[in-house]
């Protein structure tokens, strides 16, 4: 009996190790080539679509990169929110994700935060038309999203702490205002609302709370400030009455 238990324990260990190896292999492939990344995004969109089908009434939807993925915002304008943010996403990838999502009915609000990964040196250096490419993708994204929701809100690109070692080595932080302006212009063209939801996080003290100089330094107070600005854009009547 003892020998049989040892054999079964060994088999379970082998299965767990094999499963972990397969998982890590998938993670490495997803980070190492475009097909893997696209497959991961499609799988994420499939999972989010499943969550959306479980919501019984009006809802909000968050779209974007890790900046929005890290934001805990379970309710917006008094309605439940589903977070469909995906770390590492650029604006072209976000268009693909939006296309894969199966919306059971139009969201009350779609919030879009994008641009951080489009500002990497890899995307910017040696590509003089990078900003115009970003504009074309933004124009197409908003044109696709606006008919699918009652309200689309786009945010400015979140702040960088350019003084932090290494940030400007990997990101063209100086171009962030120009990319935010593009998002504002293309959002207005499509008929959505633009807001700098992160305006309260751009001062030196707030930038210093960022874990890496790129991602937002979020706590309860910072989250509430972001939510307040989003609600002012998405449901001004409710925001005026107090949350």
């Amino acid at each position: 009996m003892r020998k049989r238990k040892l054999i079964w324990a060994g088999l379970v260990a082998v299965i767990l190790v094999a499963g972990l190896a397969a998982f890590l292999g998938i993670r490495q492939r997803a980070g190492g080539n475009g097909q893997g990344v696209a497959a991961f995004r499609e799988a994420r969109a499939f999972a989010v679509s499943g969550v959306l089908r479980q919501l019984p009434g009006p809802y909000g939807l968050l779209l974007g990169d890790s900046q929005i993925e890290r934001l805990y915002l379970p309710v917006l304008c008094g309605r439940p929110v589903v977070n469909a943010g995906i770390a590492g996403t650029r604006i072209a990838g976000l268009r693909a994700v939006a296309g894969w999502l199966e919306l059971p009915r139009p969201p009350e609000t779609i919030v879009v935060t994008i641009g951080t990964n489009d500002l990497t040196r890899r995307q910017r250096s040696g590509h003089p038309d990078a900003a115009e490419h970003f504009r074309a993708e933004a124009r197409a994204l908003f044109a696709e999203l606006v008919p699918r929701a009652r309200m689309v809100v786009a945010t400015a690109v979140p702040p960088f702490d350019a003084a932090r070692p290494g940030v400007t080595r990997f990101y063209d932080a100086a171009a962030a205002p120009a990319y935010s302006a593009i998002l504002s212009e293309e959002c207005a063209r499509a008929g959505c609302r633009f807001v700098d939801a992160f305006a309260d996080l751009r001062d030196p003290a707030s930038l210093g709370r960022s874990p890496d100089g790129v991602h937002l330094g979020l706590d309860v107070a910072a989250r509430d400030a972001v939510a307040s600005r989003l609600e002012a854009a998405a449901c001004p009547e409710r925001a005026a009455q107090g949350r």
Side-chain angles (χ1 to χ4, degrees), residues 30-74:
N33 62 74
Q35 289 182 340
V37 171
F40 173 75
R41 289 178 184 148
E42 189 170 8
R44 171 75 169 137
F46 177 76
V48 171
S49 297
V51 173
L52 291 172
R53 286 193 291 271
Q54 300 173 54
L55 295 177
Y59 66 96
L61 181 65
L62 306 183
L63 290 176
D65 51 32
S66 59
Q67 304 281 19
I68 204 78
E69 185 181 35
R70 295 175 68 249
L71 180 66
Y72 177 67
L73 191 66

Side-chain angles (χ1 to χ4, degrees), residues 216-229:
L216 299 167
L218 293 170
D219 54 17
V220 174
R223 187 279 314 273
D224 287 349
V226 172
S228 178
R229 288 182 177 274

